[in-house]
Amino acid sequence: EAEVAQSPRYKITEKSQAVAFWCDPISGHATLYWYRQILGQGPELLVQFQDESVVDDSQLPKDRFSAERLKGVDSTLKIQPAELGDSAMYLCASGTSVNEQFFGPGTRLTVL
Amino acid sequence: AQSVTQPDIHITVSEGASLELRCNYSYGATPYLFWYVQSPGQGLQLLLKYFSGDTLVQGIKGFEAEFKRSQSSFNLRKPSVHWSDAAEYFCAEVSSYKLIFGSGTRLLVRP
């Protein structure tokens, strides 16, 4: 069964450092989502791609976060510089529509 | 703003007992509703979804949910809980082409 892949699974970094997360969606899925899930809360959408284009990045803190999906396949989410409040689970999902999203295992980020 | 409310932060049930997790949505029109489960340190797995039609929806792992428009609710149920059901459960709805999640309910299962 096809799955969304994410790496790394865990990342520990110091504040002010740069971090990057990678997501490989299920083959054929044009839509890709990055969510942030703070401990004890539900996921919140950071950015949505349709193929290589950003559809919605209204909740992405653009002063420090960036996301790209070159060639419309895999995607990278970057934080520079990381802050203590960025500690969270970062989830990637892919799908054919908003009603059909498949989630990856996530990257747990800890900022010290 | 649209929101999804899960009023119970934690619920503890004994293995074999029945379960009901509450969810209230706020979007007024016919909602697209979902229940997801998340095991510790893992991503989300879809349990079931409701778009239209029969208001009682069957999902995976023996779960079902009932849509009640009059109460703006979409509660998740299971007749007999297994220890492996211990996890966090999220209700979600589509709003403005986005999935909006509730804050989750953590299910603990007593032996």
Side-chain angles (χ1 to χ4, degrees):
Chain A
E1 182 176 314
E3 295 181 343
V4 176
Q6 289 189 248
S7 67
R9 292 292 310 277
Y10 304 92
K11 179 70 178 179
I12 300 174
T13 190
E14 294 185 346
K15 63 180 182 179
S16 305
Q17 297 299 303
V19 293
F21 314 132
W22 177 79
C23 173
D24 190 12
I26 293 171
S27 178
H29 283 182
T31 311
L32 185 146
Y33 310 83
W34 283 101
Y35 290 86
R36 177 170 60 185
Q37 184 181 19
I38 295 171
L39 191 64
Q41 299 181 20
E44 293 183 310
L45 181 68
L46 289 175
V47 62
Q48 176 184 343
F49 289 92
Q50 183 69 26
D51 298 310
E52 68 274 12
S53 300
V54 172
V55 173
D56 185 342
D57 63 357
S58 57
Q59 299 303 309
L60 189 70
K62 299 182 188 63
D63 57 334
R64 298 184 300 106
F65 285 63
S66 64
E68 60 182 14
R69 191 183 183 196
L70 301 176
K71 301 181 182 179
V73 182
D74 57 339
S75 176
T76 302
L77 178 69
K78 297 179 181 177
I79 308 175
Q80 182 174 17
E83 296 181 353
L84 296 178
D86 296 331
S87 294
M89 175 79 90
Y90 290 84
L91 294 164
C92 178
S94 72
T96 55
S97 75
V98 67
N99 299 325
E100 194 86 37
Q101 297 187 34
F102 297 86
F103 284 81
T107 295
R108 168 73 67 188
L109 172 66
T110 301
V111 182
L112 302 176
Chain B
Q2 283 73 38
S3 66
V4 176
T5 303
Q6 294 181 248
D8 303 305
I9 298 174
H10 296 100
I11 281 187
T12 302
V13 299
S14 297
E15 191 167 15
S18 64
L19 169 70
E20 183 169 25
L21 302 182
R22 296 184 291 165
C23 172
N24 292 99
Y25 65 91
S26 68
Y27 192 56
T30 302
Y32 287 6
L33 297 165
F34 306 79
W35 275 101
Y36 286 87
V37 61
Q38 185 177 36
S39 297
Q42 301 298 314
L44 280 71
Q45 182 182 22
L46 179 67
L47 288 175
L48 48 79
K49 57 188 175 185
Y50 171 79
F51 295 163
S52 65
D54 192 347
T55 57
L56 186 62
V57 181
Q58 300 299 318
I60 62 171
K61 304 185 179 186
F63 285 93
E64 65 178 27
E66 186 170 13
F67 170 66
K68 293 186 178 180
R69 185 187 301 277
S70 61
Q71 299 177 18
S72 296
S73 70
F74 188 57
N75 294 348
L76 182 71
R77 302 194 295 243
K78 187 170 184 177
S80 177
V81 169
H82 187 263
W83 63 267
S84 60
D85 293 323
E88 186 133 26
Y89 292 79
F90 292 94
C91 183
E93 70 167 331
V94 172
S95 174
S96 301
Y97 304 101
K98 300 181 197 181
L99 259 186
I100 306 298
F101 288 87
S103 55
T105 297
R106 180 164 296 281
L107 173 64
L108 305 173
V109 180
R110 277 193 298 255

